[in-house]
Amino acid sequence: MWGESLEAVGPEPAKISNEEFIARQQRLFSQLRPNDLLIVTAPHESTRSNDVHYPYRSSSDMLYLCGWQDPEAVFTAYNDDGNWITTLFVQPKDILQEIWEGRRPGVEGAVKDWPIDNAVSHEDLEDSLSEMLVKCSRIVVKLGVDSVVDGLVDNEIKSNSRDRQKFGLGPVSIIDPSRMINELRLRKSNAEIELMRHSAKIAAQAHIQAMANTKPGVGEWQLEGIIEGLFKYCKTSGSAYPSIIGSGENATILHYTVNDDTCDDGEVILIDAGCEYNGYASDITRSWPVNGKFSEAQAEIYQIVLDAQLAAIDQCRVGNTYDAPHNAARRVLAEGLIRIGVIAQDLEEALGPDGDLKNWYMHNTGHWLGMDVHDVGVYRPDDEPRLFEEGMVITVEPGLYFGAWRPDVECPERYANIGIRIEDDVLITKDGPDVLSDDCPKTIANIEALVGTA
Ligand SMILES: [Mn+2]
């Protein structure tokens, strides 16, 4: 049923190699001090209801540094005479657990196939980690992820052991490695870029299928089924975030995820959906007319947003500030709304703090994209706007939202309940913006040619 989509996506790219994982670890270790103990944690499994868990997804930092996906994992590293020694705590082999829940690599499998020096059973976490903690002077850990590790760290810092009192041994401070890891994750390697491109190609096909299957009377939930079914069909781990599928006034609610309404003739539908492929997110939004033909009013708004998006994408260049796309998009949106008479202010006024643009465009134009959909990386390090570098990936997603239901603004009748957002995933390269999601149609003509054709 989805063979053509799968073919359009193309072959699966290579997974991250152990050599790359080790290079990532080394880049992090090179920023640490010899007496540091690095601890990277992952969340515990969480209960959905009674004895059923949510599908497990490890922390992005764990996945980034060693690719280990199972629960009850802790990654550590300490320096031994100039060499950093890595240890991964893992679930031990357990026949009964494995019969019920699946095979485990166990301690031996972990050492053999993962980019680590040692593996230790998670059952020995308390003893082994305590031993490591006593020997370090700084604990490098992000607190608040694994409560068991937090407890051990807390105990060790507070302890008044003989060694501490007499010899001054034991950890005296805790630092958070997030800033260091986030800087690494912000710049994507070639292997990561290929995974992200694949993720975006799948998401593009999902939007194409949703467009083709849109007709008056279709349910938002049915389009959700098509999109998320295609995600699974293409071997992703599913959605990177809850799909936003809103028709009519639902399209004017930025994070609408109920998806239980029927799409009616004359409405615009807005779909914001992306998948996670081998740990990497895509994030695409398209908006189209339910009946396959933009009304004049819908086309006016759509074209303004598209022009704004293209202007913003053009700003995604090495050396530009991260907010250059946002500023470009806002300018084009404001110009457009002045031109069609929605805003009765001059351009600078419309863009200013008391300007009317924010009535119809109230969010930012993009965010970093990577292992997390809102990926890590400080936007204003040292309070200066970040400059784009090769290998960074940012979304570009301007929109205009005319919620006729809103009591706080007077929505122009002509544009009542039109909600348009157009979002692509853009890689910064030395040759200019590379739109990873450009398989997904976005001109008025290309969209009209596709909607309702299934
Ligand atoms: Mn987004």
Side-chain angles (χ1 to χ4, degrees), residues 272 283 367 374 395 397 423:
D272 183 342
D283 183 1
H367 50 82
H374 293 160
T395 66
E397 48 179 311
E423 174 177 32

Side-chain angles (χ1 to χ4, degrees), residues 60-273:
S60 294
D61 288 348
M62 178 71 73
L63 296 172
Y64 182 76
L65 288 171
C66 69
W68 187 264
Q69 298 181 13
D70 296 339
E72 296 189 292
V74 178
F75 175 93
T76 64
Y78 60 86
N79 193 296
D80 180 25
D81 215 12
N83 292 318
W84 286 91
I85 309 294
T86 56
T87 304
L88 186 65
F89 292 87
V90 301
Q91 291 174 319
K93 296 292 282 181
D94 180 328
I95 298 302
L96 192 62
Q97 286 292 327
E98 292 185 52
I99 288 171
W100 282 90
E101 287 165 13
R103 303 294 302 277
R104 293 176 173 183
V107 169
E108 279 176 27
V111 174
K112 184 166 160 281
D113 296 326
W114 269 263
I116 48 164
D117 299 315
N118 304 308
V120 175
S121 165
H122 190 266
E123 290 170 346
D124 300 327
L125 177 71
E126 197 165 332
D127 288 348
S128 298
L129 193 60
S130 297
E131 258 172 56
M132 293 180 193
L133 283 164
V134 180
K135 291 182 195 151
C136 76
S137 55
R138 272 199 328 182
I139 308 169
V140 184
V141 66
K142 180 176 174 180
L143 296 172
V145 180
D146 180 336
S147 51
V148 174
V149 169
D150 288 1
L152 292 170
V153 166
D154 192 51
N155 269 345
E156 204 52 56
I157 287 279
K158 287 179 182 158
S159 90
N160 277 314
S161 68
R162 186 173 166 277
D163 280 354
R164 184 189 288 277
Q165 303 214 10
K166 205 158 181 185
F167 304 110
L169 297 175
V172 292
S173 62
I174 301 174
I175 69 157
D176 187 328
S178 297
R179 185 83 180 245
M180 293 181 239
I181 298 175
N182 295 353
E183 284 296 311
L184 297 175
R185 284 177 50 192
L186 179 57
R187 298 162 181 87
K188 275 72 179 174
S189 70
N190 289 337
E192 289 181 292
I193 288 165
E194 289 320 305
L195 293 171
M196 292 192 70
R197 197 184 299 280
H198 196 74
S199 184
K201 277 179 167 288
I202 293 168
Q205 290 303 316
H207 280 263
I208 289 171
Q209 286 291 348
M211 286 180 199
N213 283 281
T214 300
K215 285 169 192 163
V218 73
E220 292 167 352
W221 65 96
Q222 291 171 324
L223 298 175
E224 183 179 18
I226 287 168
I227 286 175
E228 295 181 8
L230 189 79
F231 287 167
K232 294 305 285 186
Y233 190 84
C234 294
K235 218 176 163 190
T236 72
S237 43
S239 298
Y241 54 95
S243 301
I244 296 166
I245 303 184
S247 188
E249 77 167 37
N250 302 332
T252 69
I253 297 168
L254 303 179
H255 283 172
Y256 170 86
T257 53
V258 189
N259 306 345
D260 66 352
D261 222 345
T262 303
C263 306
D264 293 322
D265 195 4
E267 291 179 342
V268 167
I269 180 168
L270 181 157
I271 297 191
D272 183 342

Side-chain angles (χ1 to χ4, degrees), residues 241 255 272 282-285 365-369 373-374 395-397 421 423-425:
Y241 54 95
H255 283 172
D272 183 342
S282 48
D283 183 1
I284 299 179
T285 308
T365 303
H367 50 82
W368 305 126
L369 183 71
V373 64
H374 293 160
T395 66
V396 178
E397 48 179 311
R421 177 161 70 249
E423 174 177 32
D424 281 302
D425 305 340

